[in-house]
Structures are given as structure tokens and as C-alpha cells.
Coordinates of all heavy atoms in Angstrom, one line a residue:
M1 N -4.0 1.4 19.1 CA -3.7 0.2 18.3 C -3.2 0.7 16.9 O -3.8 1.5 16.3 CB -5.0 -0.6 18.1 CG -4.8 -1.8 17.2 SD -6.2 -2.9 17.1 CE -7.0 -2.3 15.7
Q2 N -2.1 0.2 16.5 CA -1.5 0.5 15.2 C -2.3 -0.3 14.2 O -2.5 -1.5 14.2 CB -0.1 0.0 15.2 CG 0.6 0.3 13.9 CD 2.1 0.0 13.9 OE1 2.7 -0.1 14.9 NE2 2.7 -0.2 12.7
V3 N -2.8 0.5 13.2 CA -3.6 -0.1 12.1 C -2.7 -0.6 11.0 O -3.0 -1.6 10.3 CB -4.6 0.9 11.6 CG1 -5.4 0.4 10.4 CG2 -5.6 1.3 12.7
A4 N -1.6 0.1 10.7 CA -0.7 -0.3 9.6 C 0.7 0.2 9.9 O 0.9 1.2 10.6 CB -1.2 0.3 8.3
H5 N 1.6 -0.5 9.3 CA 3.0 -0.1 9.4 C 3.4 0.4 8.0 O 3.1 -0.3 7.0 CB 3.9 -1.3 9.8 CG 5.4 -1.0 9.8 ND1 6.0 -0.2 8.9 CD2 6.3 -1.4 10.7 CE1 7.3 -0.1 9.2 NE2 7.5 -0.8 10.3
I6 N 4.0 1.5 7.9 CA 4.3 2.2 6.6 C 5.8 2.4 6.5 O 6.4 2.9 7.5 CB 3.6 3.5 6.5 CG1 2.1 3.2 6.6 CG2 3.9 4.2 5.2 CD1 1.3 4.5 6.9
K7 N 6.4 2.0 5.4 CA 7.8 2.3 5.2 C 8.1 2.6 3.7 O 7.1 2.4 2.9 CB 8.7 1.1 5.6 CG 8.5 -0.2 4.8 CD 9.5 -1.3 5.3 CE 10.0 -2.2 4.2 NZ 10.9 -1.7 3.3
A8 N 9.2 3.0 3.4 CA 9.6 3.3 2.0 C 9.4 2.0 1.2 O 9.8 0.9 1.7 CB 11.0 3.9 1.9
W9 N 8.9 2.1 0.0 CA 8.6 1.0 -0.8 C 10.0 0.4 -1.3 O 10.9 1.1 -1.7 CB 7.8 1.4 -2.0 CG 7.5 0.2 -3.0 CD1 6.6 -0.8 -2.8 CD2 8.1 0.0 -4.3 NE1 6.6 -1.6 -3.9 CE2 7.5 -1.1 -4.8 CE3 9.0 0.7 -5.0 CZ2 7.9 -1.6 -6.0 CZ3 9.4 0.2 -6.3 CH2 8.8 -1.0 -6.7
D10 N 10.0 -0.9 -1.4 CA 11.1 -1.7 -1.9 C 10.5 -2.9 -2.6 O 9.8 -3.6 -2.0 CB 12.1 -2.1 -0.8 CG 13.3 -2.9 -1.3 OD1 13.3 -3.4 -2.4 OD2 14.2 -3.1 -0.5
P11 N 10.8 -3.1 -3.9 CA 10.2 -4.2 -4.6 C 10.5 -5.5 -4.0 O 9.7 -6.5 -4.1 CB 10.7 -4.1 -6.0 CG 11.9 -3.2 -6.0 CD 11.7 -2.3 -4.8
D12 N 11.7 -5.6 -3.3 CA 12.0 -6.8 -2.6 C 11.2 -7.1 -1.4 O 11.3 -8.2 -0.8 CB 13.5 -6.8 -2.2 CG 14.4 -6.9 -3.4 OD1 14.0 -7.4 -4.5 OD2 15.6 -6.4 -3.3
D13 N 10.3 -6.2 -1.0 CA 9.3 -6.5 0.1 C 8.3 -7.5 -0.4 O 7.5 -8.1 0.4 CB 8.6 -5.2 0.5 CG 9.4 -4.2 1.2 OD1 10.5 -4.6 1.7 OD2 9.1 -3.0 1.2
F14 N 8.2 -7.8 -1.7 CA 7.2 -8.6 -2.3 C 7.8 -9.8 -3.1 O 8.9 -9.6 -3.7 CB 6.3 -7.8 -3.2 CG 5.7 -6.7 -2.5 CD1 6.3 -5.4 -2.6 CD2 4.5 -6.8 -1.7 CE1 5.7 -4.3 -1.9 CE2 4.0 -5.7 -1.0 CZ 4.6 -4.5 -1.1
A15 N 7.2 -10.9 -3.1 CA 7.8 -12.1 -3.8 C 7.7 -11.8 -5.3 O 6.8 -11.1 -5.8 CB 6.9 -13.3 -3.5
P16 N 8.6 -12.4 -6.1 CA 8.6 -12.3 -7.5 C 7.2 -12.7 -8.1 O 6.6 -13.6 -7.6 CB 9.6 -13.2 -8.0 CG 10.6 -13.3 -6.9 CD 9.7 -13.2 -5.6
G17 N 6.7 -11.9 -9.0 CA 5.4 -12.2 -9.6 C 4.2 -11.5 -8.9 O 3.1 -11.5 -9.5
R18 N 4.4 -10.9 -7.8 CA 3.4 -10.2 -7.0 C 3.1 -8.9 -7.7 O 4.0 -8.2 -8.1 CB 3.7 -10.0 -5.6 CG 4.0 -11.3 -4.8 CD 2.8 -12.1 -4.7 NE 1.7 -11.4 -4.1 CZ 0.6 -11.9 -3.5 NH1 0.5 -13.2 -3.4 NH2 -0.3 -11.2 -3.0
V19 N 1.8 -8.5 -7.9 CA 1.4 -7.3 -8.5 C 2.0 -6.1 -7.8 O 2.4 -5.1 -8.4 CB -0.1 -7.2 -8.6 CG1 -0.6 -5.8 -9.1 CG2 -0.7 -8.3 -9.4
S20 N 2.2 -6.2 -6.4 CA 2.7 -5.1 -5.7 C 4.1 -4.7 -6.0 O 4.6 -3.7 -5.6 CB 2.6 -5.4 -4.2 OG 1.2 -5.4 -3.8
R21 N 4.8 -5.5 -6.7 CA 6.2 -5.2 -7.2 C 6.1 -4.2 -8.3 O 7.2 -3.6 -8.6 CB 6.9 -6.4 -7.7 CG 7.4 -7.3 -6.5 CD 8.1 -8.5 -7.0 NE 9.4 -8.2 -7.6 CZ 10.6 -8.4 -7.0 NH1 10.6 -9.0 -5.8 NH2 11.7 -8.1 -7.6
S22 N 5.0 -4.0 -9.0 CA 4.9 -3.2 -10.2 C 3.9 -2.0 -10.2 O 3.9 -1.2 -11.0 CB 4.7 -4.0 -11.4 OG 3.5 -4.7 -11.3
R23 N 2.9 -2.1 -9.2 CA 1.9 -1.0 -9.2 C 1.3 -0.9 -7.8 O 1.4 -1.8 -6.9 CB 0.8 -1.2 -10.2 CG -0.1 -2.4 -9.9 CD -1.3 -2.3 -10.9 NE -2.2 -3.4 -10.6 CZ -3.2 -3.4 -9.8 NH1 -3.5 -2.4 -9.0 NH2 -4.0 -4.5 -9.7
C24 N 0.7 0.3 -7.5 CA 0.0 0.5 -6.3 C -1.2 -0.5 -6.1 O -2.0 -0.6 -7.0 CB -0.5 2.0 -6.3 SG -1.6 2.4 -4.9
T25 N -1.2 -1.2 -5.0 CA -2.3 -2.1 -4.8 C -3.1 -1.7 -3.5 O -4.1 -2.3 -3.2 CB -1.8 -3.5 -4.6 OG1 -0.8 -3.6 -3.5 CG2 -1.2 -4.1 -5.9
W26 N -2.7 -0.7 -2.8 CA -3.4 -0.3 -1.6 C -4.7 0.5 -1.8 O -5.6 0.5 -1.0 CB -2.4 0.6 -0.8 CG -3.0 1.1 0.6 CD1 -3.3 2.3 0.9 CD2 -3.2 0.3 1.7 NE1 -3.7 2.4 2.2 CE2 -3.7 1.1 2.7 CE3 -3.1 -1.1 2.0 CZ2 -4.0 0.7 4.0 CZ3 -3.4 -1.5 3.3 CH2 -3.8 -0.7 4.2
G27 N -4.9 1.1 -3.0 CA -6.0 2.0 -3.2 C -7.3 1.3 -3.6 O -8.3 2.0 -3.8
G28 N -7.4 0.0 -3.6 CA -8.6 -0.6 -3.9 C -9.0 -0.8 -5.4 O -10.0 -1.3 -5.7
N29 N -8.1 -0.3 -6.2 CA -8.3 -0.4 -7.7 C -8.0 -1.9 -8.1 O -7.0 -2.4 -7.8 CB -7.5 0.5 -8.5 CG -7.8 2.0 -8.2 OD1 -8.9 2.3 -7.7 ND2 -6.9 2.8 -8.6
G30 N -9.0 -2.5 -8.7 CA -8.8 -3.9 -9.2 C -8.1 -3.9 -10.5 O -7.6 -2.9 -11.1
P31 N -8.0 -5.1 -11.1 CA -7.2 -5.3 -12.3 C -7.9 -4.6 -13.5 O -7.2 -4.3 -14.5 CB -7.2 -6.8 -12.5 CG -8.3 -7.3 -11.7 CD -8.5 -6.4 -10.5
D32 N -9.2 -4.2 -13.4 CA -9.8 -3.5 -14.5 C -9.6 -2.0 -14.5 O -9.8 -1.3 -15.4 CB -11.3 -3.8 -14.5 CG -11.7 -5.2 -14.7 OD1 -10.9 -5.9 -15.4 OD2 -12.7 -5.7 -14.3
D33 N -9.1 -1.5 -13.3 CA -8.8 -0.1 -13.2 C -7.6 0.1 -12.3 O -7.7 0.7 -11.2 CB -10.1 0.6 -12.5 CG -9.9 2.1 -12.5 OD1 -9.1 2.7 -13.2 OD2 -10.6 2.7 -11.6
P34 N -6.4 -0.3 -12.7 CA -5.2 -0.2 -11.9 C -4.8 1.2 -11.7 O -4.9 2.1 -12.5 CB -4.2 -1.0 -12.7 CG -4.6 -1.0 -14.1 CD -6.1 -0.9 -14.0
C35 N -4.2 1.5 -10.5 CA -3.6 2.8 -10.2 C -2.3 2.9 -11.0 O -1.5 2.0 -11.1 CB -3.3 2.8 -8.7 SG -2.5 4.4 -8.2
T36 N -2.1 4.1 -11.6 CA -0.9 4.3 -12.4 C 0.0 5.3 -11.7 O 1.0 5.7 -12.3 CB -1.3 4.9 -13.8 OG1 -2.1 6.1 -13.6 CG2 -2.1 3.9 -14.5
E37 N -0.2 5.7 -10.5 CA 0.6 6.6 -9.7 C 1.9 5.8 -9.3 O 2.0 4.6 -9.2 CB 0.0 7.0 -8.4 CG -1.3 7.8 -8.6 CD -1.1 9.3 -9.0 OE1 -0.1 9.8 -8.5 OE2 -2.0 9.8 -9.7
E38 N 3.0 6.6 -9.1 CA 4.3 6.1 -8.7 C 4.2 5.4 -7.3 O 3.6 6.0 -6.4 CB 5.3 7.2 -8.6 CG 6.7 6.7 -8.2 CD 7.7 7.8 -8.1 OE1 7.3 9.0 -8.3 OE2 8.8 7.6 -7.7
I39 N 4.7 4.2 -7.2 CA 4.7 3.5 -5.9 C 5.8 4.2 -5.0 O 6.9 4.4 -5.4 CB 5.1 2.1 -6.0 CG1 4.2 1.3 -7.0 CG2 5.1 1.4 -4.7 CD1 4.7 0.0 -7.4
K40 N 5.4 4.5 -3.7 CA 6.3 5.1 -2.8 C 6.4 4.4 -1.4 O 7.4 4.6 -0.7 CB 5.9 6.6 -2.5 CG 6.0 7.4 -3.7 CD 6.0 8.9 -3.4 CE 6.3 9.7 -4.6 NZ 6.4 11.1 -4.3
Y41 N 5.4 3.6 -1.1 CA 5.4 3.0 0.3 C 5.0 1.5 0.2 O 4.3 1.1 -0.7 CB 4.3 3.7 1.1 CG 4.5 5.2 1.2 CD1 3.7 6.0 0.4 CD2 5.5 5.7 2.0 CE1 3.9 7.4 0.4 CE2 5.7 7.1 2.0 CZ 4.9 7.9 1.2 OH 5.1 9.3 1.3
T42 N 5.5 0.8 1.2 CA 5.0 -0.6 1.5 C 4.2 -0.4 2.8 O 4.7 0.1 3.8 CB 6.2 -1.5 1.8 OG1 6.9 -1.7 0.6 CG2 5.7 -2.9 2.2
V43 N 3.0 -0.9 2.7 CA 2.1 -0.8 3.9 C 1.8 -2.2 4.3 O 1.4 -3.1 3.5 CB 0.7 -0.1 3.5 CG1 -0.2 -0.1 4.7 CG2 1.0 1.2 2.9
T44 N 2.0 -2.5 5.6 CA 1.7 -3.8 6.2 C 0.5 -3.6 7.1 O 0.6 -2.8 8.0 CB 2.9 -4.4 6.9 OG1 4.0 -4.5 6.1 CG2 2.6 -5.8 7.5
D45 N -0.6 -4.3 6.8 CA -1.8 -4.1 7.6 C -1.7 -4.9 8.9 O -0.8 -5.7 9.1 CB -3.1 -4.3 6.8 CG -3.3 -5.7 6.4 OD1 -2.7 -6.6 6.9 OD2 -4.1 -5.9 5.5
R46 N -2.7 -4.7 9.7 CA -2.7 -5.3 11.1 C -2.8 -6.9 11.0 O -2.5 -7.5 12.0 CB -3.8 -4.8 12.0 CG -5.2 -5.1 11.5 CD -6.2 -4.5 12.4 NE -7.5 -4.4 11.7 CZ -8.3 -3.4 11.8 NH1 -8.1 -2.4 12.5 NH2 -9.4 -3.5 11.1
I47 N -3.2 -7.5 9.9 CA -3.1 -8.9 9.8 C -2.0 -9.4 8.9 O -2.0 -10.5 8.4 CB -4.5 -9.5 9.4 CG1 -4.9 -9.0 8.0 CG2 -5.6 -9.3 10.4 CD1 -6.2 -9.7 7.5
D48 N -1.0 -8.5 8.8 CA 0.3 -8.8 8.2 C 0.3 -9.0 6.7 O 1.1 -9.8 6.1 CB 1.0 -10.0 8.9 CG 2.5 -10.0 8.8 OD1 3.0 -8.9 8.8 OD2 3.1 -11.0 8.8
R49 N -0.7 -8.4 6.0 CA -0.7 -8.4 4.6 C 0.1 -7.2 4.1 O 0.0 -6.1 4.7 CB -2.1 -8.3 4.0 CG -2.9 -9.6 4.3 CD -4.3 -9.4 3.7 NE -5.0 -8.3 4.4 CZ -6.2 -8.0 4.4 NH1 -7.1 -8.7 3.6 NH2 -6.8 -7.0 5.0
R50 N 0.9 -7.3 3.0 CA 1.6 -6.2 2.5 C 1.0 -5.7 1.2 O 0.6 -6.5 0.4 CB 3.1 -6.7 2.2 CG 3.9 -6.8 3.4 CD 5.3 -7.0 3.0 NE 6.0 -7.5 4.2 CZ 7.1 -8.2 4.2 NH1 7.6 -8.5 3.0 NH2 7.7 -8.6 5.3
W51 N 1.1 -4.4 1.1 CA 0.5 -3.7 -0.1 C 1.5 -2.6 -0.5 O 2.2 -2.1 0.3 CB -0.8 -3.0 0.3 CG -1.8 -3.8 1.0 CD1 -1.9 -4.1 2.3 CD2 -2.8 -4.6 0.4 NE1 -2.9 -4.9 2.6 CE2 -3.5 -5.2 1.4 CE3 -3.3 -4.7 -1.0 CZ2 -4.6 -6.0 1.1 CZ3 -4.4 -5.5 -1.2 CH2 -5.1 -6.2 -0.2
S52 N 1.6 -2.4 -1.8 CA 2.3 -1.2 -2.3 C 1.4 0.0 -2.4 O 0.2 -0.2 -2.6 CB 3.0 -1.5 -3.6 OG 2.0 -1.9 -4.6
S53 N 1.9 1.2 -2.2 CA 1.0 2.3 -2.2 C 1.7 3.5 -2.8 O 2.8 3.8 -2.6 CB 0.6 2.7 -0.7 OG -0.3 3.8 -0.7
C54 N 0.9 4.3 -3.5 CA 1.3 5.6 -4.0 C 1.0 6.6 -2.9 O 0.2 6.3 -1.9 CB 0.6 5.9 -5.3 SG -1.2 6.2 -5.1
E55 N 1.4 7.8 -3.1 CA 1.2 8.9 -2.1 C -0.3 9.2 -2.0 O -0.8 9.4 -0.9 CB 2.0 10.1 -2.5 CG 2.1 11.1 -1.4 CD 3.2 12.1 -1.6 OE1 4.2 11.8 -2.3 OE2 3.0 13.3 -1.2
H56 N -1.0 9.3 -3.1 CA -2.4 9.6 -3.1 C -3.2 8.6 -2.3 O -4.0 9.1 -1.5 CB -2.9 9.7 -4.6 CG -4.4 9.7 -4.7 ND1 -5.1 10.9 -4.5 CD2 -5.3 8.7 -4.9 CE1 -6.4 10.6 -4.6 NE2 -6.5 9.3 -4.9
H57 N -3.1 7.3 -2.6 CA -3.9 6.4 -1.8 C -3.5 6.3 -0.4 O -4.4 6.1 0.5 CB -3.8 5.0 -2.5 CG -4.6 4.9 -3.7 ND1 -4.1 4.7 -5.0 CD2 -5.9 5.1 -3.9 CE1 -5.1 4.7 -5.9 NE2 -6.2 5.0 -5.3
L58 N -2.2 6.5 0.0 CA -1.9 6.5 1.4 C -2.5 7.7 2.1 O -3.1 7.5 3.2 CB -0.4 6.5 1.6 CG 0.1 6.4 3.0 CD1 -0.3 5.1 3.7 CD2 1.6 6.6 3.1
N59 N -2.5 8.8 1.5 CA -3.1 10.0 2.1 C -4.6 9.8 2.2 O -5.2 10.2 3.2 CB -2.8 11.3 1.3 CG -1.3 11.7 1.5 OD1 -0.7 11.4 2.5 ND2 -0.8 12.4 0.5
A60 N -5.2 9.3 1.2 CA -6.7 9.0 1.2 C -7.0 8.1 2.4 O -8.0 8.3 3.1 CB -7.2 8.5 -0.1
Y61 N -6.2 7.1 2.6 CA -6.5 6.1 3.7 C -6.3 6.8 5.0 O -7.1 6.7 5.9 CB -5.5 4.9 3.6 CG -5.6 4.1 4.8 CD1 -6.6 3.2 5.0 CD2 -4.6 4.1 5.8 CE1 -6.7 2.4 6.1 CE2 -4.6 3.3 6.9 CZ -5.7 2.5 7.1 OH -5.8 1.7 8.2
N62 N -5.2 7.6 5.2 CA -4.9 8.3 6.4 C -6.1 9.3 6.7 O -6.5 9.4 7.9 CB -3.6 9.0 6.4 CG -2.4 8.1 6.6 OD1 -2.6 7.0 7.1 ND2 -1.3 8.5 6.1
N63 N -6.6 10.0 5.7 CA -7.6 10.9 5.9 C -8.9 10.3 6.3 O -9.8 10.9 6.9 CB -7.8 11.8 4.7 CG -6.6 12.8 4.5 OD1 -5.9 13.1 5.5 ND2 -6.4 13.2 3.3
S64 N -9.1 9.0 6.0 CA -10.4 8.3 6.3 C -10.4 7.8 7.7 O -11.4 7.3 8.2 CB -10.6 7.2 5.3 OG -9.7 6.1 5.5
R65 N -9.2 7.7 8.4 CA -9.2 7.2 9.7 C -9.7 8.2 10.7 O -9.5 9.4 10.6 CB -7.7 6.9 10.1 CG -7.0 5.9 9.1 CD -7.6 4.6 9.0 NE -7.8 3.9 10.2 CZ -8.7 2.9 10.4 NH1 -9.4 2.5 9.4 NH2 -8.8 2.4 11.6
P66 N -10.4 7.7 11.8 CA -10.9 8.6 12.8 C -9.7 9.2 13.5 O -8.7 8.6 13.7 CB -11.7 7.7 13.7 CG -11.4 6.3 13.3 CD -10.7 6.3 12.0
A67 N -9.9 10.5 14.0 CA -8.9 11.1 14.8 C -8.7 10.4 16.1 O -9.7 9.9 16.7 CB -9.3 12.6 15.0
P68 N -7.4 10.4 16.6 CA -7.2 9.7 17.9 C -7.8 10.4 19.0 O -8.2 11.5 19.0 CB -5.7 9.7 18.0 CG -5.1 10.6 17.0 CD -6.3 10.9 16.0

């Protein structure tokens, strides 16, 4: 089962005004501790929510997944 779809980040993947147009939102950091890494990916999760992701948070997520 595919858990997420990952592609190169494009700000147009997100509606104007969405936080994911300007910072990494995949890493779980809330508004009080935003990620400052460069956005590189758009991640769409299995329930069709889109997130922007830096390389660090995408790697951390992938490393946390069980091996197939």
C-alpha cells in the first residue's frame, strides 16, 4: 500500500495563502517552531492531504517507516 506520493515541490500545488507555499509543513513543527529548511517536495498522503517538505523531514519520515 502506498503511504504517500512524493514529487518535486511547486508552490502552485497549494492554494494561495496556504502555509505550505512558504515553508515545510510535513515535519510536524507547529506555528511556534516552524521548520526553516528549504522546501524540496510536495507530499500527498493517503487521504489526499498535501504537505510541503524539506529533505530532512522527508528522510526522517522515510526512516521511520517499517521495512517492506
Side-chain angles (χ1 to χ4, degrees):
M1 174 172 95
Q2 182 175 339
V3 176
H5 178 320
I6 301 161
K7 70 178 210 69
W9 179 75
D10 181 343
D12 291 334
D13 291 337
F14 305 95
R18 299 296 303 200
V19 174
S20 291
R21 286 181 69 104
S22 61
R23 71 170 177 87
C24 170
T25 56
W26 182 248
N29 295 342
D32 296 334
D33 186 23
C35 178
T36 59
E37 300 278 330
E38 178 184 3
I39 304 167
K40 293 196 173 186
Y41 306 101
T42 295
V43 179
T44 304
D45 67 17
R46 65 180 163 220
I47 59 173
D48 209 31
R49 293 178 297 190
R50 285 191 194 151
W51 309 85
S52 57
S53 180
C54 66
E55 194 165 330
H56 168 78
H57 283 117
L58 183 63
N59 287 337
Y61 172 76
N62 285 336
N63 290 336
S64 74
R65 304 301 305 161

